[in-house]
Amino acid sequence: LEEGDNASNSHFQTYPNLNQLTVNEYNPGEGIGSHVDTVTAFGDGLLAITLNGGIVMEFRKATVDDAADKNVMRKLVYLPPRSLAVLSGDARYKYEHMIVSRMTDTVDGKILPRKLRVSLTLRTALTKPVLDETAERFSLAQSKVVQSPLPKYESKVFPPRWGQESDAALVNANGDVDNNGSSSSDRSALFTPATESKHVHAVYDAIATQWHHTRGKRGVLWPGATQFLETLSPGSIVADVGCGDGKYFAEILKHSYFIGFDMSEELLKTAATRDKADDNTQKCVDGPQYQHLSKAKRTLSAHPAVAVADCIHVPLKSGSCDAAICIAVMHHLSTEKRRVRCLSELKRIVKVGGRINVQAWALEQTHDSKRKFHGTDVLVPFNAQPKYLQTPRKLSENGNSAHTISSVESKGKGVAQMMAEQYNGAEFDSKKNLVVFQRYCHMYRKGELESLCNQVPGLEVLESSYEKGNHVVSLRVCGVGGS
């Protein structure tokens, strides 16, 4: 969409400095007022992608005497679905553009009902302008206006960290309300207890490689979770809260898309290792569950949408997901307030009518189970092989509690014993030559999960069941009440 001197060179226009994306959603009947995108904020070349529903965009010359020119300078352009419109030159600077608010558009004599339209607008954001002191307003004619594209910053860190505030930052100056509007009665749920920091977060960071090797790669999934995912509508957006090494990602990708969160950065790193495939067989070598995926879906799994975040404070917009799963997470939460807060967050991020699947360890184990618990709050040992653990140097770099072992301290000690001494709370099993970590777990009694769900307004229990030593609840979001 060009006019003037640039029109003849339209096939050679390039925009190498695009650095800003705006995503807008327009329901039928909605429009935008007539405007020119701010000249001092964005450079030449606006790229607008239209998805799902087409629209008629109106252009008119941005003159002082609008009334005199509106009949002559008015242009209507139909932007069909999956189209790209480029506004450059005069179309960018001298014409205003708008979308009239109405339910239909007339195109080539046909009346087309409007559908939901999603627009992706790519622009070049500019630095703050430096103006000629005598200038009274911005215009293209001002040769002394100096601007350049905003610099690009590319994160080299994977996975990204989101919302990692200190406990003190959660309380505002008045000391009674946190940044999310939580009252003082539930603010304590946001603080991570030392039990969880030491016996959950630190443990999973330490055992991440072995955990992925023995769980994720083997494709060991809980049947109830996979059955839940199979019932979702194709194309659903699923939040995997407490995703760990992403072992459910392949199952979600059969029909849907995922966004994953976990507090263990090391586990999330293993989630991004699934990028190796046999060129001849096209089979993923990092787990049998990936063999059925197309090459495009394997690419999504190899570069997953994940972030380090707590299930108590999920960094997603309310109602942004069609469904959520929270598998083997809630038995690591040490207080009732935190368990209710986790369920509240799951309800918050799922749209009304969406569903949630939660599974956690049960106190009641089957007679053939290797797990036998004599209380609801226990420490469950995990036997780690030294070859899978991080070296003391890496531990120190990651901020975990560690100290350097001197040659005197290490004399006569094996690798497992030295590694055990590097981890706060780890023990050395001399008989098996293993490093033993203690994981905090809360074992749920029958009906306990349902009772917690009933404390969250707007959350309905559709079904509860027992599966191989785990309690399972299937939930539906039926309102917007609660936190």
Side-chain angles (χ1 to χ4, degrees):
L1 305 175
E2 297 186 352
E3 260 198 8
D5 296 337
N6 290 334
S8 60
N9 298 321
S10 60
H11 294 294
F12 303 99
Q13 292 292 99
T14 60
Y15 305 97
N17 296 311
L18 294 173
N19 55 16
Q20 192 263 349
L21 169 66
T22 299
V23 181
N24 284 320
E25 183 178 270
Y26 298 94
N27 291 305
E30 294 181 339
I32 54 174
S34 185
H35 69 284
V36 173
D37 287 44
T38 306
V39 172
T40 55
F42 303 104
D44 191 16
L46 306 180
L47 282 64
I49 300 171
T50 296
L51 300 177
N52 193 63
I55 203 80
V56 169
M57 184 171 284
E58 180 177 328
F59 293 83
R60 60 180 179 175
K61 204 67 170 284
T63 62
V64 175
D65 187 5
D66 246 0
D69 286 346
K70 65 180 180 181
N71 294 325
V72 178
M73 307 305 294
R74 182 168 171 265
K75 298 176 185 249
L76 301 178
V77 180
Y78 178 59
L79 308 180
R82 301 181 62 148
S83 66
L84 169 65
V86 180
L87 279 63
S88 182
D90 288 356
R92 158 72 177 98
Y93 294 106
K94 295 185 178 181
Y95 278 82
E96 294 180 348
H97 58 276
M98 66 179 296
I99 298 174
V100 177
S101 299
R102 58 189 175 216
M103 298 298 294
T104 62
D105 285 311
T106 302
V107 180
D108 295 332
K110 296 181 180 180
I111 298 177
L112 303 180
R114 285 188 180 177
K115 300 179 180 179
L116 173 72
R117 173 179 178 256
V118 176
S119 71
L120 311 179
T121 304
L122 294 146
R123 296 178 284 201
T124 302
L126 302 175
T127 58
K128 184 177 179 179
V130 179
L131 295 175
D132 180 357
E133 293 181 357
T134 61
E136 296 182 356
R137 57 180 298 179
F138 299 113
S139 71
L140 285 177
Q142 290 174 333
S143 59
K144 293 186 179 181
V145 176
V146 180
Q147 287 184 270
S148 58
L150 285 174
K152 297 179 181 179
Y153 296 96
E154 182 179 356
S155 174
K156 301 296 184 182
V157 179
F158 180 88
R161 287 188 164 271
W162 196 287
Q164 302 300 299
E165 297 178 290
S166 65
D167 285 349
L170 294 171
V171 183
N172 68 9
N174 296 323
D176 55 4
V177 179
D178 73 354
N179 292 332
N180 290 316
S182 300
S183 65
S184 57
S185 62
D186 65 3
R187 192 174 63 246
S188 61
L190 300 172
F191 304 150
T192 303
T195 298
E196 293 177 35
S197 296
K198 179 178 179 180
H199 292 291
V200 181
H201 302 168
V203 171
Y204 279 101
D205 275 346
I207 68 175
T209 302
Q210 182 172 338
W211 185 269
H212 174 60
H213 183 77
T214 57
R215 269 81 169 176
K217 283 189 175 183
R218 291 188 300 154
V220 179
L221 306 178
W222 292 9
T226 59
Q227 292 169 11
F228 171 82
L229 293 171
E230 289 171 356
T231 65
L232 300 179
S233 300
S236 295
I237 303 298
V238 182
D240 189 346
V241 179
C243 63
D245 64 347
K247 67 179 183 179
Y248 286 94
F249 289 173
E251 193 67 26
I252 298 172
L253 283 173
K254 283 183 178 180
H255 309 292
S256 305
Y257 299 91
F258 66 83
I259 306 172
F261 304 98
D262 202 278
M263 276 300 291
S264 173
E265 181 175 356
E266 299 306 316
L267 273 176
L268 289 178
K269 287 179 179 177
T270 68
T273 61
R274 302 182 176 93
D275 55 356
K276 296 180 180 179
D278 186 317
D279 292 336
N280 297 320
T281 64
Q282 290 299 304
K283 292 182 178 180
C284 182
V285 299
D286 199 44
Q289 69 271 37
Y290 289 87
Q291 295 180 7
H292 68 271
L293 293 179
S294 65
K295 185 176 181 180
K297 287 295 184 73
R298 287 202 305 273
T299 300
L300 286 176
S301 180
H303 304 280
V306 296
V308 178
D310 200 340
C311 65
I312 303 301
H313 190 184
V314 182
L316 286 177
K317 182 180 177 181
S318 298
S320 58
C321 297
D322 300 293
I325 59 174
C326 188
I327 311 301
V329 176
M330 284 194 59
H331 55 242
H332 290 311
L333 301 178
S334 60
T335 70
E336 181 175 320
K337 285 185 177 181
R338 287 174 64 78
R339 296 162 199 154
V340 173
R341 170 75 184 199
C342 176
L343 291 169
S344 298
E345 279 293 89
L346 292 172
K347 188 267 299 184
R348 181 186 64 78
I349 65 176
V350 174
K351 68 181 184 181
V352 174
R355 293 187 293 130
I356 302 167
N357 184 265
V358 178
Q359 304 197 23
W361 278 4
L363 178 64
E364 307 86 1
Q365 295 292 308
T366 57
H367 69 279
D368 58 344
S369 174
K370 296 180 180 180
R371 301 192 296 247
K372 300 296 181 183
F373 307 114
H374 302 288
T376 56
D377 294 278
V378 297
L379 293 177
V380 180
F382 182 92
N383 298 323
Q385 300 180 42
K387 67 178 181 179
Y388 290 116
L389 298 176
Q390 298 181 65
T391 64
R393 180 177 180 80
K394 288 185 179 180
L395 278 172
S396 179
E397 290 174 351
N398 288 338
N400 293 322
S401 177
H403 73 276
T404 303
I405 298 179
S406 66
S407 58
V408 175
E409 290 178 303
S410 63
K411 187 175 182 180
K413 296 179 181 180
V415 175
Q417 184 175 358
M418 288 190 293
M419 294 297 288
E421 293 175 354
Q422 290 295 291
Y423 291 90
N424 183 18
E427 301 169 353
F428 171 56
D429 187 333
S430 58
K431 292 182 179 180
K432 298 180 180 179
N433 199 35
L434 297 173
V435 180
V436 182
F437 294 90
Q438 300 291 342
R439 293 177 293 160
Y440 167 81
C441 293
H442 173 78
M443 303 304 158
Y444 287 85
R445 299 180 184 274
K446 183 178 180 180
E448 186 177 355
L449 272 179
E450 295 89 326
S451 178
L452 293 173
C453 294
N454 290 333
Q455 296 185 43
V456 182
L459 202 56
E460 176 187 6
V461 178
L462 297 177
E463 182 182 3
S464 58
S465 59
Y466 178 88
E467 174 186 279
K468 294 184 178 180
N470 304 295
H471 286 306
V472 185
V473 289
S474 181
L475 312 168
R476 183 173 74 90
V477 178
C478 56
V480 296
S483 56

